Amino acid sequence: MRTIAKFLLRNRGFMAFMLCMVVFRSAVADWNVVPTGSMQPTIRIGDRILVDKLAYDVRLPLTHVSLYRLADPQRGDIVVLDSPAADERLVKRVIGLPGDEVAMRANVLYINGQAASYTTSGYQGIHDDLRDPAHYATERYGALHHAIRLSNRHPSPLSNFGPTKVPPGQYLLLGDDRDNSMDSRYLGFFARNEIVGRAHRVIVSLDSQHHYLPRGNRFGTALR
């Protein structure tokens, strides 16, 4: 016991620092590595994204217990969530709010009966395009506007779904890579308390297809 006490006393500064880091990453802000392409082209494989964990709630550190609600997720927000349905941490975009009626017809999004509009756009450097050619569009619905990726050869079997109404306290989330995303079309609605923060920007991006070389043009990129 005396040896343990001496060890703790000698390393108290380091241990206090580590405790503060754990609390900070749990309740204030964190960074996440994105290993999949479900949010391309907005988020690239290998991006390290900054997550604001105070965007919606003040939470008890190391738990999902909300001590104080600051705001609710808005349509278009890119959110990070711990999903029991997926059994992993997900990064998706909020599309349907509680009470919304959402449908999709041939990858055209309908919210409360109104269709989103689409304009053609282009993106370079998406490695998945080499094995799975795709085209890109900007999706607009009210204040919502962001890029989506659509496969030319392998459309999702759920490019048609709904209409479905989002229950109270739940959200409908989709990936921007519409034909390559496990999202609400497969996993159902996501409860608000599963959403742990909002993704704001790319901190660092490493290209796994090119020996993890940094993508300097993506450092600090804001996520919209």
Side-chain angles (χ1 to χ4, degrees), residues 37-44 76 78 93 95 117-123 126 135-141 144-150 174-178 223-224:
S38 69
M39 282 296 292
Q40 293 183 125
T42 309
I43 301 176
R44 307 285 181 94
I78 298 174
R93 189 180 297 274
I95 298 294
S117 63
Y118 297 84
T119 54
T120 301
S121 57
Y123 286 85
I126 306 291
H135 59 283
Y136 296 85
T138 299
E139 182 174 77
R140 289 184 171 86
Y141 177 89
L144 174 72
H145 63 281
H146 59 96
I148 61 170
R149 180 179 184 270
L150 300 166
L174 298 178
D176 289 351
D177 192 344
R178 289 290 162 79
L223 297 175
R224 298 183 177 88

Side-chain angles (χ1 to χ4, degrees), residues 11-34:
N11 294 279
R12 62 184 183 277
F14 174 75
M15 296 179 67
F17 170 78
M18 292 302 297
L19 178 62
C20 289
M21 280 295 295
V22 169
V23 170
F24 181 85
R25 292 191 63 180
S26 170
V28 180
D30 198 1
W31 56 90
N32 286 91
V33 179
V34 180

Side-chain angles (χ1 to χ4, degrees), residues 26-158:
S26 170
V28 180
D30 198 1
W31 56 90
N32 286 91
V33 179
V34 180
T36 69
S38 69
M39 282 296 292
Q40 293 183 125
T42 309
I43 301 176
R44 307 285 181 94
I45 298 172
D47 283 351
R48 275 66 172 165
I49 57 174
L50 177 65
V51 181
D52 179 5
K53 291 195 170 182
L54 290 175
Y56 307 120
D57 295 274
V58 177
R59 295 181 185 270
L60 185 67
L62 304 177
T63 76
H64 283 191
V65 176
S66 176
L67 301 176
Y68 185 77
R69 179 174 292 194
L70 298 171
D72 287 318
Q74 299 299 304
R75 195 186 332 277
D77 287 359
I78 298 174
V79 297
V80 175
L81 62 150
D82 288 327
S83 167
D87 196 28
E88 62 179 336
R89 177 160 287 193
L90 300 177
V91 182
K92 303 295 177 186
R93 189 180 297 274
V94 177
I95 298 294
L97 304 177
D100 282 345
E101 184 180 81
V102 183
M104 188 173 282
R105 297 289 177 263
N107 269 326
V108 174
L109 181 66
Y110 290 80
I111 303 176
N112 299 321
Q114 180 180 345
S117 63
Y118 297 84
T119 54
T120 301
S121 57
Y123 286 85
Q124 303 295 322
I126 306 291
H127 295 301
D128 285 356
D129 289 350
L130 298 176
R131 60 176 179 79
D132 180 23
H135 59 283
Y136 296 85
T138 299
E139 182 174 77
R140 289 184 171 86
Y141 177 89
L144 174 72
H145 63 281
H146 59 96
I148 61 170
R149 180 179 184 270
L150 300 166
S151 173
N152 294 338
R153 299 175 182 171
H154 305 290
S156 167
L158 289 180

